[in-house]
Amino acid sequence: MKYVVVLGDGMADHPVRKLGGRTPLEEAHKPNLDSLAREGEMGMLKTVPQGMPPGSDVANLSILGYRPEKCYTGRGPLEAADIGVRLGPRDVAFRCNLITEREGRMHDYSAGHITTEEAAELLGELNRRFRFGEFHVGITYRHVFVLRNCDPRLETDPPHEIPGELIRDHLIRPPSDPLAKKLNRLMLESKGILSEHPVNRAREMQGKNPANMIWLWSQGGRPRLQSFRRKYGLRAALISAVPLIRGIGVYTGMTLIRVPGATGYFDTNYEGKALYALRALEDHDFVYVHVEAPDEAGHEGNVEMKVKAIEDLDRRLLGPLLDGLPEDCRVAVLPDHPTPLEVKTHVAEPVPFVMRGPGLGRDNLTFSERNGERGSAGFLEGEQFMLKLLGLRSSPRPR
């Protein structure tokens, strides 16, 4: 048996007034997703354990059958793994966003989706100016900051959760902690350096948001994750343009497949992801395909682009993928969390899912949040999703 999971990041939503009370999933023309819902089983999945942040890191670990409350240490170390940064037992990695600050507020958590080439120049300048910590280049606005030999107990806020809010209200806490003070000073001083950089002067002349400040958040040490093959006995591959998701793949021993033109944004190469997924199935048992575009639209509050991202995923990825799958294959599609347009950030609510393949029933539904609640698969939590997809009654013993 082969298995494929297609993850539409942040695809679930709330009813939208502009759409006549429909959600983007209900509004979108998605014949392939609806075909899966007619021919397979739908249900609802709780991906975020009680009390944990509703991030893609926590949710994707949960979907893959890992228990975030036991293995999650932070987003930073996962992204560090993707770009090849090795962490020692007392090293800590932060996610480092390049952001746009205006009038003391969080104006843009992605600095206008700055290019990786521009970001490399800016981070290179910060590495030259600061002798505290290490800046490592990731992709576009997503980067990593590493501290060696420290064990911080700090609180940080995700930048995409505080659009328009005052920077000073969301600095690293507790404010009395010496390390927090040093890191906050680093972030604030970065503005003076980055604002004057030629890269940002050129961006502003072109009418683009400047990457005029860094934002450090979601820090943690090296996690310990059992390999996917040891956990389930399956050879697994992962396709994503997002460092966080690829970092999960690194720590779980999956084969990382890089698709040319995959960007983690609206312009990603959907067809390429389908093609490379089908190729991966030739010598892997399980393929995980992640698409970031719906989540980006949710963060931007862009109704039209969220509907389009769902339609692109359906037509350009799911269509060719389903046409090429072997008969002996189970396929599942789901979001990792909702990213409602009204709040522009993640929420810790259950998400709809669909599974189709040998041994599964038929619900004769269309794919939506409301129909997920009507599906025959019922309400699942965490690792129950993977156990159901793989036809297991309980977690297998390590091999």
Side-chain angles (χ1 to χ4, degrees), residues 204-258:
E204 292 193 276
M205 289 181 63
Q206 297 164 16
K208 299 177 181 178
N209 285 343
N212 60 7
M213 188 173 170
I214 60 167
W215 192 261
L216 305 177
W217 60 288
S218 198
Q219 72 283 356
R222 184 176 64 195
R224 292 184 179 180
L225 291 170
Q226 186 181 33
S227 77
F228 194 88
R229 186 164 188 176
R230 182 171 176 82
K231 185 175 179 65
Y232 294 115
L234 301 174
R235 295 165 297 173
L238 184 144
I239 295 174
S240 176
V242 175
L244 163 66
I245 306 300
R246 293 200 303 253
I248 292 174
V250 171
Y251 275 111
T252 57
M254 296 185 181
T255 301
L256 296 189
I257 297 176
R258 310 247 175 187

Side-chain angles (χ1 to χ4, degrees), residues 90-94 96 123-136 144-152 154 172 177-190 193 214 216 219:
R90 284 183 48 79
D91 297 340
V92 173
F94 291 73
C96 175
L123 292 182
E125 182 66 21
L126 294 181
N127 273 325
R128 285 188 289 273
R129 294 288 195 98
F130 293 121
R131 293 289 178 248
F132 173 60
E134 308 163 7
F135 292 94
H136 296 271
V144 173
F145 177 75
V146 175
L147 291 176
R148 303 292 181 181
N149 296 310
C150 74
D151 186 21
L154 304 174
I172 298 172
D177 183 275
L179 181 57
K181 289 181 179 180
K182 199 168 185 179
L183 292 170
N184 286 329
R185 188 164 59 249
L186 182 76
M187 290 198 294
L188 295 172
E189 289 180 359
S190 72
I193 297 170
I214 60 167
L216 305 177
Q219 72 283 356

Side-chain angles (χ1 to χ4, degrees), residues 28-36 38 314-315:
H29 178 63
K30 51 184 196 318
N32 296 295
L33 253 175
D34 289 341
S35 174
L36 287 175
R38 284 193 301 273
D314 185 89
R315 177 176 59 88

Side-chain angles (χ1 to χ4, degrees), residues 54 57 81 139 174 225 255 301 309 333 357 390:
D57 38 20
I139 184 171
L225 291 170
T255 301
V333 183
L390 303 182

Side-chain angles (χ1 to χ4, degrees), residues 93-387:
F94 291 73
R95 163 69 176 270
C96 175
N97 274 46
L98 285 170
I99 67 164
T100 303
E101 180 269 359
R102 282 193 182 153
E103 298 179 348
R105 296 180 182 273
M106 179 68 66
H107 180 75
D108 182 354
Y109 70 90
S110 70
H113 287 268
I114 186 170
T115 68
T116 302
E117 293 73 21
E118 291 172 311
E121 288 191 49
L122 296 176
L123 292 182
E125 182 66 21
L126 294 181
N127 273 325
R128 285 188 289 273
R129 294 288 195 98
F130 293 121
R131 293 289 178 248
F132 173 60
E134 308 163 7
F135 292 94
H136 296 271
V137 178
I139 184 171
T140 69
Y141 63 91
R142 309 174 179 104
H143 308 285
V144 173
F145 177 75
V146 175
L147 291 176
R148 303 292 181 181
N149 296 310
C150 74
D151 186 21
R153 295 288 185 266
L154 304 174
E155 296 179 43
T156 59
D157 290 336
H160 53 266
E161 291 187 2
I162 55 172
E165 297 190 24
L166 288 169
I167 294 289
R168 67 169 181 260
D169 292 341
H170 296 278
L171 293 173
I172 298 172
R173 303 175 297 279
S176 59
D177 183 275
L179 181 57
K181 289 181 179 180
K182 199 168 185 179
L183 292 170
N184 286 329
R185 188 164 59 249
L186 182 76
M187 290 198 294
L188 295 172
E189 289 180 359
S190 72
K191 189 185 176 205
I193 297 170
L194 297 180
S195 295
E196 300 301 317
H197 196 281
V199 163
N200 280 322
R201 289 187 174 181
R203 287 182 65 82
E204 292 193 276
M205 289 181 63
Q206 297 164 16
K208 299 177 181 178
N209 285 343
N212 60 7
M213 188 173 170
I214 60 167
W215 192 261
L216 305 177
W217 60 288
S218 198
Q219 72 283 356
R222 184 176 64 195
R224 292 184 179 180
L225 291 170
Q226 186 181 33
S227 77
F228 194 88
R229 186 164 188 176
R230 182 171 176 82
K231 185 175 179 65
Y232 294 115
L234 301 174
R235 295 165 297 173
L238 184 144
I239 295 174
S240 176
V242 175
L244 163 66
I245 306 300
R246 293 200 303 253
I248 292 174
V250 171
Y251 275 111
T252 57
M254 296 185 181
T255 301
L256 296 189
I257 297 176
R258 310 247 175 187
V259 176
T263 64
Y265 199 50
F266 303 139
D267 59 351
T268 196
N269 183 0
Y270 291 95
E271 294 86 355
K273 288 189 175 186
L275 174 62
Y276 278 71
L278 290 172
R279 288 179 180 173
L281 281 176
E282 295 174 5
D283 52 8
H284 293 81
D285 309 300
F286 177 94
V287 179
Y288 196 75
V289 186
H290 173 268
V291 176
E292 178 74 0
D295 187 62
E296 293 289 344
H299 285 306
E300 294 180 12
N302 191 327
V303 179
E304 293 78 13
M305 284 308 300
K306 187 156 190 181
V307 172
K308 185 178 185 300
I310 293 168
E311 292 180 341
D312 284 344
L313 184 153
D314 185 89
R315 177 176 59 88
R316 299 171 58 190
L317 193 161
L318 268 184
L321 178 65
L322 295 176
D323 286 344
L325 289 180
E327 290 187 10
D328 189 25
C329 181
R330 285 186 174 184
V331 58
V333 183
L334 75 164
D336 48 356
H337 50 69
T339 307
L341 293 156
E342 62 187 9
V343 296
K344 300 183 183 180
T345 192
H346 306 165
V347 296
E349 297 172 2
V351 296
F353 69 86
V354 63
M355 295 181 185
R356 188 196 73 180
L360 296 172
R362 297 171 63 96
D363 282 353
N364 198 29
L365 296 169
T366 56
F367 190 84
S368 70
E369 297 86 353
R370 282 179 260 247
N371 283 341
E373 297 177 359
R374 300 172 55 199
S376 62
F379 184 89
L380 305 182
E381 294 190 39
E383 67 177 345
Q384 291 176 330
F385 171 82
M386 193 59 62
L387 296 179

